[in-house]
Amino acid sequence: MPLTTLPPYEVIPPGASISPLVVASAHSGRDYTDRFLKQSRLSPAALRRSEDCFVEELLHSAPLYGAPLLHAHFPRAYCDANREPWELDPSMFRDALPDWCNTSSKKVQAGFGTIARLVGNGGPIYCHSLNFEEAERRIRECWYPYHAALLHLIEASVARHGLCILLDGHSMPRQGGRDSADFILGNAWGTSCAPEITVMVEKILTEHGYRVARNMPFAGGYVTRHYGRPRRGVHALQMEISRHLYMDERTLERHDGFPVVQQVLSRVMAELSGLAHHMARQT
């Protein structure tokens, strides 16, 4: 993993044909800087348990279908772009937080605010309390640039096509036993995108033999709920991919299933791009 500071995000642009589809991965960043590692009580391997490992690689073919691919370089454990900008846990900080911080959300209480207190089952991240200045710097250098880039891509799509479909890619630990879902599609209980978008993605995945659930236990985070405004022409769908399908969850290494999932997701994006063009023509 890199120990030098990269730009907070990367946008891989589409080819000549531009689709009303935007693909994003907010949690696959793995730029663990020396500064952050020194602040943490956890090993780099333990910190990586919070990553959506390799999701941007699983979605790498998006530009082939006219969709820009946005992905974060900063790790989720460092700054979580799928939260509100100021969801902060006051117990983590030496100084008092400003009144405008959201200190009481369920995510904050669980230890997973914009600046996380915990890494999954790995326990507390930090050796010592942080200064609010540290959180402010991360949010301004990572969260805001990522969302500025995402908003620009969405607005550009709406301006060009009158519509945008946002596919927000994530990964999840295996949910229970063998009969658990392989994919969970989150549409904020039917409010963040048109029904045909969820139906299409679910149909493709089930045709390939995968078990698909909707909204339980992941109905969509900040990105899905904030940007998904179907009446304004912006449709957002969160897709959670079970990590066991493509990687060893213990070693965090890709296995033979990786290219299989990659190919299936390539079809998902190809057909979503076609649907986005069809919906744009109807507007």
Side-chain angles (χ1 to χ4, degrees), residues 219-270:
Y222 174 83
V223 168
T224 305
R225 295 171 186 272
H226 179 74
Y227 293 102
R229 296 289 185 270
R231 292 183 179 179
R232 300 179 187 176
V234 182
H235 303 262
L237 178 67
Q238 177 176 289
M239 179 174 61
E240 294 275 357
I241 310 159
S242 185
R243 293 172 194 154
H244 84 278
L245 297 174
Y246 67 90
M247 62 178 280
D248 185 316
E249 294 187 73
R250 182 181 58 83
T251 65
L252 305 183
E253 295 179 350
R254 305 167 191 81
H255 60 49
D256 292 345
F258 189 90
V260 178
V261 176
Q262 203 174 44
Q263 185 173 9
V264 171
L265 294 181
S266 182
R267 182 187 166 196
V268 167
M269 290 181 289

Side-chain angles (χ1 to χ4, degrees), residues 24 33 47 52 67 85-87 98 118 122-123 135 140 145 147 149 156 161 169 180-181 189 197 199 225 239 245:
T33 62
L47 286 170
D52 287 348
W86 304 101
E87 270 185 279
L118 306 174
R140 297 201 183 280
H147 281 274
H161 303 284
S180 60
W189 301 101
I197 296 170
V199 169
R225 295 171 186 272
M239 179 174 61
L245 297 174

Side-chain angles (χ1 to χ4, degrees), residues 29-108:
R30 43 192 178 271
D31 179 19
Y32 292 86
T33 62
D34 282 325
R35 175 185 171 89
F36 179 45
L37 293 175
K38 288 176 182 177
Q39 292 173 327
S40 174
R41 60 179 289 274
L42 300 176
S43 68
L47 286 170
R48 291 198 65 199
R49 299 289 173 185
S50 70
E51 276 181 31
D52 287 348
C53 294
F54 314 121
V55 165
E56 88 285 6
E57 295 180 24
L58 290 173
L59 300 171
H60 84 290
S61 63
L64 296 178
Y65 305 108
L69 172 59
L70 166 67
H71 66 95
H73 284 306
F74 55 91
R76 179 186 190 179
Y78 183 77
C79 181
D80 193 336
N82 202 26
R83 300 286 179 266
E84 298 174 21
W86 304 101
E87 270 185 279
L88 299 176
D89 183 345
S91 71
M92 294 175 58
F93 299 94
R94 299 185 186 97
D95 41 351
L97 299 180
D99 292 342
W100 36 265
C101 291
N102 181 349
T103 61
S104 60
S105 73
K106 290 182 179 180
K107 292 297 184 181
V108 166

